[in-house]
Amino acid sequence: MTSLDLLRTFLAVHRAGSVTAAAQLLGLSQPAVTAQLKALEKTVKKPLFHRHARGVTTTAAGEDLARRLAGPLDDLVAAVGDFVGGKVALHVGGPAEFMSLKVVPALVELPDTALRATFGAPEDLLDELAKGGLDLVISSVRPRGRGIVFAPLHVEELTIVAAERWYYPDTSGVLGDAPWVAYAEDLPLIRRYWQTVYKTPPPGNAVVVVPDLRAVLTATLAGAGVTVLPRYLCENELATGELREVIIRGELPTNTIYLAVRTGAFAEPHIVRARDLLMARAADW
């Protein structure tokens, strides 16, 4: 009978793509992991990995075994954690607005997980991810650097919105004397919108600047001025008529949101479950 420890080690190496990374995640030495892999290969009488200078790749037989093991073994780990009353911590970082409205409501569905959220700039969060301080990062910039894998999670569409007081049905590039409500003094979303649609810098200055898009939304609802927001953030207010969308001819600017993890994190079932859940929920965002 094959030991569960051997199967868990195999799955960790398969997901991490490296004996070294898997050993770190499992808290074992590299020789111990290598010995367990050899023992499992001897038991199944098939090679499970091709060894390379920078890691390993799974053989066809190994891929088949991984497919058979992944769900049941992850469920077993989760079941044991529930049985002993344990919850594994999941540390997730990302922009406050997207995390609050989309990511956190999705992840609280994981019953065996103690969620810990961190808000911040994408560069800082990705650096913390690479160091091992975070398990998942939601990034508004494309991740770079070795040891991090990522996938597009959501494409947000930027749109100009205003309360009735400042609403113009068709600006044709002109917003009259409407003041801006912005996230920062340099009008980042507004500037990107204007340069994409009109190929020019945005006109005027901001009357309200607040570093939280949710506060930008509430100030706009209160009639402070006009702003540019991701559609997901104001879709309810647009549906109820509290905000009006300024009609622009042509394609609206978009921004891709990425979901990033460390390469070795795929050895951790709770991280894999969280990533898969977010990817599934994002299809409806």
Side-chain angles (χ1 to χ4, degrees), residues 113-166:
T113 302
L115 181 61
R116 297 293 182 267
T118 301
F119 301 152
E123 294 82 3
D124 296 336
L125 296 174
L126 289 169
D127 182 59
E128 191 66 19
L129 175 68
K131 293 176 180 176
L134 292 171
D135 300 315
L136 296 171
V137 164
I138 311 301
S139 175
S140 57
V141 301
R142 185 182 178 90
R144 304 191 185 281
R146 295 180 59 182
I148 293 178
V149 293
F150 61 91
L153 180 67
H154 176 69
V155 178
E156 59 180 17
E157 186 178 74
L158 302 180
T159 184
I160 301 179
V161 295
E164 187 68 34
R165 174 186 176 187
W166 299 109

